[in-house]
Amino acid sequence: MERINPPELARPSGFSHATAVAGCRLVFLAGQTGMNAEGHIVEGGVVAQFERALSNLLTALRAAGGGPEDLTELTVYIVDMDSYRARAREIGAVWRRLAGARYPAMAGIGVDRLWDAEALVEIKGTAAVSAAR
């Protein structure tokens, strides 16, 4: 996978401007919230929910034969953008602990609410898993 960050664009922090892949299996990952295995949104605020949502997404990706290094793009839907931005360092630390230091192409989009009214974030994405796995 090639992460593309042209010098003509602002230096990315926590994302890549573009990713490119060849010769792989594409895996499309459904939106995941901070829902636990019992079907309840976890307590603890935006950081705890981001951690659970990312964990859920990575669990689905691993079941498809991939890992965090295979993520090509993610979209994070955010109910309270001010709270999310205020906790950006903590969210970044969660990302690095669960997914490593490489970032896919990403977008953060503010929304009024998600399917589960208690959900503060939802993460969906795409991965390019090596056909050799």
Side-chain angles (χ1 to χ4, degrees), residues 20-105:
V21 295
C24 60
R25 174 178 176 225
L26 289 179
V27 178
F28 300 93
L29 299 156
Q32 298 292 326
T33 61
M35 185 177 289
N36 64 23
E38 291 76 38
H40 303 288
I41 299 295
V42 299
E43 296 182 6
V46 69
V47 176
Q49 286 194 27
F50 179 87
E51 181 169 357
R52 186 58 190 235
L54 181 58
S55 293
N56 291 346
L57 185 108
L58 294 175
T59 296
L61 177 54
R62 286 186 185 99
E69 67 281 1
D70 299 314
L71 290 168
T72 59
E73 66 87 22
L74 287 179
T75 302
V76 182
Y77 298 96
I78 305 158
V79 173
D80 183 346
M81 189 65 76
D82 292 336
S83 175
Y84 188 93
R85 288 181 60 105
R87 309 297 293 273
R89 286 191 185 276
E90 293 169 80
I91 289 168
V94 168
W95 174 273
R96 288 185 297 280
R97 183 168 40 81
L98 296 180
R102 293 185 177 169
Y103 297 97

